[in-house]
Amino acid sequence: MKDVTDLHREFDGKRLPPGQRETSRFPVLSKGETPSIPNDWTFDVWGAVDEELTLSFEQFKDLPTESQNQDFHCVTGWSRFDCRFRGVSFPTLAERAGVTDDAVHIMFHAHDGYTTNLPLADCMREEVLFTWALDGDPLPAEHGGPLRVVVPHKYAYKGAKWVSGVEFLTEPERGYWEKRGYSNTANPWEEERYA
Ligand SMILES: Nc1nc2c(c(=O)[nH]1)N[C@H]1C(S)=C(S)[C@@H](COP(=O)(O)O)O[C@H]1N2
Ligand SMILES: [Mo]
């Protein structure tokens, strides 16, 4: 299992970012109800890619997978250390689709209508994972199962639960919370909480 809980060093910060408190619980934060995911769930990749993809959950899980130990920082002030996630990294998925030269930004889409955005460079990191397993169990529905994104170098609102697809963009755009006053950049070690 790869341990990426030292990534705070890159941001000249402590493991617990400023203004956060550690919790052993895993609180649930969603803008609405947990959506029901259709049985014929597919995962779509579109936009500035060589090959647009539509993958079943089985096909998605057949991509090269990895397990990582990560910390999880919520913008509302709690951090959960040592989350063991299994999944497919963003660079692995991007390599499968083939990123075109004009792609600069990413929009993640989710089954509850949620969206969140990041620059492509912030996504092309091995610790940005599409994950279906937490601490050895299937990812609970309220935490985004069957599939969610985790982005441990950002506040957790940058990780879409119930992710349905990834859009490669040639211009930056803002997602659900980024349009509503949360920081577009969301670096926990700089306390970039609100815009
Ligand atoms: N699809 C979707 N993803 C989402 C959200 C949401 O409402 N819908 N909430 C975000 C927010 S604000 C946070 S803090 C984390 C919370 O993840 P958790 O419920 O697993 O703790 O999910 C993020 N991803
Ligand atoms: Mo949040």
Side-chain angles (χ1 to χ4, degrees):
M1 166 123 23
K2 187 171 171 67
D3 193 315
V4 298
T5 58
D6 60 353
L7 65 76
H8 55 91
R9 297 209 180 107
E10 180 184 335
F11 301 96
D12 294 322
K14 298 205 165 71
R15 186 172 178 189
L16 187 67
Q20 297 290 106
R21 61 194 175 277
E22 193 189 344
T23 176
S24 55
R25 296 171 51 242
F26 198 170
V28 173
L29 279 146
S30 308
K31 71 179 179 65
E33 307 265 290
T34 294
S36 58
I37 310 295
N39 287 331
D40 57 353
W41 181 95
T42 57
F43 181 88
D44 298 312
V45 180
W46 73 97
V49 288
D50 295 329
E51 191 193 352
E52 297 196 331
L53 304 175
T54 296
L55 302 173
S56 68
F57 192 34
E58 295 310 313
Q59 288 171 322
F60 193 91
K61 290 199 289 190
D62 278 343
L63 294 167
T65 65
E66 54 195 278
S67 294
Q68 291 184 15
N69 187 33
Q70 300 193 348
D71 296 340
F72 188 100
H73 307 296
C74 178
V75 70
T76 61
W78 54 268
S79 293
R80 186 186 194 260
F81 286 172
D82 297 316
C83 304
R84 291 170 181 85
F85 292 116
R86 180 156 194 81
V88 172
S89 76
F90 189 97
T92 296
L93 182 79
E95 192 189 330
R96 181 59 56 99
V99 183
T100 60
D101 289 343
D102 55 350
V104 295
H105 212 80
I106 297 296
M107 188 70 74
F108 296 93
H109 295 261
H111 284 283
D112 61 343
Y114 189 78
T115 51
T116 187
N117 64 284
L118 278 173
L120 177 62
D122 269 313
C123 296
M124 292 296 272
R125 298 173 56 113
E126 61 178 341
E127 72 273 12
V128 178
L129 275 189
F130 298 91
T131 179
W132 55 81
L134 167 65
D135 297 340
D137 293 317
L139 186 66
E142 65 273 22
H143 286 299
L147 188 71
R148 80 169 298 167
V149 184
V150 285
V151 186
H153 68 306
K154 298 292 184 183
Y155 287 123
Y157 63 89
K158 290 291 183 180
K161 305 198 283 188
W162 315 295
V163 65
S164 58
V166 178
E167 181 180 10
F168 286 73
L169 297 167
T170 56
E171 303 274 345
E173 286 179 29
R174 286 182 187 235
Y176 182 87
W177 282 122
E178 291 87 355
K179 284 181 188 162
R180 290 169 175 79
Y182 278 15
S183 165
N184 198 24
T185 46
N187 177 350
W189 292 279
E190 299 293 339
E191 285 210 79
E192 294 167 352
R193 297 177 195 268
Y194 307 104

